[in-house]
């Protein structure tokens, strides 16, 4: 022990320091909390660990993985991994790549190949074991990571799922804007993913699409008097959910990086303004119905209804007739049935007349249309005094079935 005011003797002091140095650099036993080794290799052997984990979050290119065998690299951003020459790495050299945030591209050295191709993309959420045979590279079957599996389970959606997302005319600018309520929907892909709109959204029809509320919603082209289908869209890489307007009922022009979609409704623009409507689930009701057809004949004829274009819908129609010749029957039916009246004339909307005075009546009928918004219509009598067919609204299942 050192004593106060006693000179330090170099021989004793140096020997003590040397002992400490030797001890610090010696292989400390596992029982003493060490690894029983003084190098990575001897420590791995002593601990019975034959692999090492190298966690590297790399954005952009990560050139030359090096020759470390049996390691694991994790990427949380887009990356391109360039491999060292296969001959340098040797037979059975292998590496595990985990894509945990974005896709990772594997680029072999020079003209070498991986799985017979120039490059290999490991999708986000997947991992792959890359193996060298001395002249080329190949992979085992890609596996979903535990984290990605949990994410995919939470994002899974039953086909056709649709909740909320009610559409309405915007109060401040009913001419151009549509409000979209919160809700969720399954994407229309083969393996649907859940898209959830957590906050209400307002999109403008009079401006090109931009992300966010009170921003433009038009996917392409210029605003016009036509049908616009409203799509819920999402990015699988960031989870951002938005909406856009498109004249296409099947293939909207998607913004960059948006790869999920679902049609949630449709609107009509007439006389430079969005037509006012009320949505109640699958039923869309026009605020101000108009007389779509005012003539009819005994020959079955296709009649145009006031409906969004590009869809087969079930229209709810208001029918009014007046007749002065004993009886008249009016029928409307699905064009898919054909032009021949599918039922006896007595099965339609009828007006009986017992006197020479005109008799009238009104009714509401629901009928399925073709994709052009048309139904067949015919009358049993050409002596109708008046006839009016108005579209009150329509049922749109929006892909739920």
């Amino acid at each position: 022990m050192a004593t106060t005011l006693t000179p330090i003797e170099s021989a004793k002091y140096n020997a003590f320091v040397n002992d400490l140095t030797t001890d610090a650099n010696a292989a400390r036993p596992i029982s003493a909390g060490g690894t029983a080794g003084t190098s990575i290799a001897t420590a791995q052997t002593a601990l019975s660990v034959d692999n090492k984990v190298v966690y590297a979050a790399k954005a952009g290119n990560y050139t030359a993985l090096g020759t470390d065998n049996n390691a694991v690299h994790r990427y949380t951003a887009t990356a391109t991994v360039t491999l060292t020459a296969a001959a340098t790495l040797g037979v059975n050299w292998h590496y595990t790549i985990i894509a945990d945030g974005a896709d990772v591209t594997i680029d072999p050295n020079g003209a070498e190949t991986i799985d017979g191709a120039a490059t290999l993309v490991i999708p986000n959420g997947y991992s792959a074991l890359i193996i060298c045979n001395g002249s080329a590279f190949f992979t085992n079957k890609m596996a979903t990571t535990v984290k990605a599996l949990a994410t995919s389970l939470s994002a899974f959606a039953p086909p056709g799922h649709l909740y909320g997302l009610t559409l309405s005319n915007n109060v401040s600018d009913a001419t151009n804007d549509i409000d979209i309520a919160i809700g969720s929907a399954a994407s229309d892909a083969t393996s649907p993913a859940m898209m959830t709109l957590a906050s209400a959204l307002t999109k403008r029809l009079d401006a090109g699409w931009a992300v966010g509320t009170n921003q433009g919603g038009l996917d392409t082209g210029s605003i016009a008097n036509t049908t616009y289908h409203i799509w819920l869209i999402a990015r699988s890489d960031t989870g951002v959910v938005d909406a856009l307007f498109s004249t296409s009922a099947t293939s909207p022009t998607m913004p960059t990086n948006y790869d999920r979609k679902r049609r949630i409704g449709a609107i009509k623009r007439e006389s430079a303004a969005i037509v006012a409507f009320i949505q109640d689930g699958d039923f869309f009701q026009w605020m101000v119905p108009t007389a779509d057809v005012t003539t009819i004949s005994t020959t079955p004829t296709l009649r145009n209804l006031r409906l969004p274009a590009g869809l087969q819908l079930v229209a709810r129609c208001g029918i009014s007739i007046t007749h002065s010749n004993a009886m008249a029957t009016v029928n409307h039916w699905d064009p898919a049935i054909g032009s021949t009246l599918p039922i006896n004339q007595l099965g339609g909307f009828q007006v009986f007349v017992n006197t020479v005075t005109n008799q009238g009546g009104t009714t509401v009928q629901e009928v399925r249309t073709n994709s052009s918004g048309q139904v067949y219509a015919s009358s049993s009598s050409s002596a109708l005094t008046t006839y009016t067919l108005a579209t009150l609204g329509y049922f749109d299942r929006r892909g739920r079935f």
Side-chain angles (χ1 to χ4, degrees), residues 160-212:
H161 168 81
L162 182 59
Y163 175 79
L165 302 173
T166 301
L167 308 177
S168 59
N169 300 99
N170 179 263
V171 176
S172 299
D173 187 1
T175 299
N176 299 302
D177 296 358
I178 289 293
D179 293 335
I180 306 171
I182 61 173
S184 60
S187 64
D188 59 7
T190 303
S191 299
M194 186 70 75
M195 300 181 294
T196 299
L197 186 65
S199 300
L201 198 63
T202 298
K203 301 302 287 186
R204 297 170 49 201
L205 185 59
D206 57 344
W209 186 89
V211 66

Side-chain angles (χ1 to χ4, degrees), residues 241-266:
V241 177
D242 209 278
L244 59 75
F245 304 108
S246 176
T247 56
S248 175
T250 57
S251 303
T253 300
M254 299 286 282
T256 302
N257 296 322
Y258 282 80
D259 53 356
R260 292 172 177 169
K261 59 182 174 62
R262 168 67 175 275
R263 195 184 68 83
I264 59 173

